[in-house]
Amino acid sequence: MSFLHNLMGILVDKFQIVGGKALDGEVVISGAKNAALPILLGTMLTKEKIVLKNVPDLRDVKTCIELLKILGKECSYDENGSLVIEGKIHNKVAPYELVKTMRASIMALGPLTAFLGEAEVSLPGGCAIGARPVDLHVKGLVAMGANITLDEGYIRSSTNNQRLKGATFVMDKVSVTGTENLMMAATLASGTTIIENAAREPEIVDLANFLRMMGADIKGDGSTTITINGVQELKGGEHSIVADRIEAGTYLVAAAATHGRVTCKNVNSSLLETVLLKLKEANALITIEENSITLDMRGRDILPVDITTAPHPAFPTDMQAQFMVLNAIAKGTSTITETIFENRFMHVAELIRMGADLKIKGNTVMCTGVESLNAAQVMATDLRASACLVIAGLVAHGTTIVDRIYHMDRGYEHIENKIRQLGGTIERIKG
Ligand code: UD1
């Protein structure tokens, strides 16, 4: 069956969750989706062989591999489970069929333009001028000398057979994939590129480490100013993807919400300091070891926490939906304010259907804690909303059905196995 047929098959899968049990045990955290995607696309910057370890088995990763193959790369897994990417890209077109399923494909634009001197990348579905624009990606490349036009739903870029030129670029808004796209493009540009107001997420640092391994000259990643001195070419090598801090945060919240005890292995606590602070504020007992984090909520009340999302190192928007469940069953009232994305409260209506007392006022949700949640049939609307509904299902007494879990498969590796290992009852119902 083709990749797209497979995709159609999983579109109708559902999760059936029987809640009411405390999660207890250990879970191994996978490589970060948001680091794996730019790094996979960054392999376009060399013709040499790249070996990637700790690549999560996710739908978005499969989509990215599919895209790399279309562009000319050979991708395979070796006997150790590492992803091996070889060959040279020769096709400049990132087609709509793939890009529409994964917005991160916009990050093909920088590497394609830098390596081939031209690119045609479909605009991510419905996002062009709406809630998630890509203007910063485009403006940055134009500052580096690319000619860019928008034509029939495609962003077409060309350098007229010249190398991109280093430039100083101030991001009007802090953008994670925008910063990554420009970092990748700048590695092969002539001269120095300075990205001001750059994103500081750990995944930016992981991408910079990967690019440095390839021979790129990058400084300042993890701060708001990133400086890249372009080089003539980049070489191959090996890299291991950083742990997924959002996956770890999600299991920790699931442990807290079910009054359980969970140890997340293979993750360094420095990746999620703000989330851990908020979990402590919610009254969780947190124990940190070198490469693991344990949360214990047995016999402890959940206390409400006020949250405002903002770019790293502040509270991540990707953990907002999961904390909504915690506040929904906390002892008292709290507020959750979303400042990164409009319309990222789609999970609120579903939680209300499960008995939560939540009120939306603009970009803030007022949460009044209730005793518990009721099982219900609910619909996932995006990746992190799905995680929120799965946690809610684990909390609620009775059987919850979460529909449209294909969102979940984009970002959580083997989620039902991991939850079952922790004692949760969850089944995938094939559509
Ligand atoms: C990345 C993450 C996503 C996370 C988000 C915010 C990946 C693959 N995805 O998404 O999980 O939720 O960061 O932490 O890493 N914006 C513009 N113009 C642009 C680009 C962005 O106005 O050209 C705006 C967006 O609409 C949004 C804000 O900037 O309001 C931040 O978005 P951005 O950081 O770009 O999100 P992504 O990189 O798409």
Side-chain angles (χ1 to χ4, degrees), residues 13 15 42 73 103 142 154-155 159 164 168 217 230 252 274 279 290 293 317 341 358 380 430:
D13 288 2
F15 277 147
K73 289 279 188 189
R103 201 180 169 279
V142 169
Y154 276 78
I155 304 173
T159 62
L164 288 168
T168 295
D217 179 355
L252 294 174
T274 318
L279 284 169
E290 198 185 324
I293 307 165
T317 174
F341 293 117
L358 307 172
K430 291 279 173 194

Side-chain angles (χ1 to χ4, degrees), residues 33-34 37 103-104 107 131-137 173-178 180 201 317-318 340-341 344 384:
K33 168 182 89 72
N34 286 355
L37 300 180
R103 201 180 169 279
M107 284 185 291
R132 289 179 84 170
V134 292
D135 54 313
L136 297 168
H137 302 240
K173 248 185 147 173
V174 180
S175 166
V176 178
T177 51
E180 291 166 342
E201 271 66 4
T317 174
D318 285 351
I340 306 281
F341 293 117
R344 214 182 194 186
R384 305 306 168 185

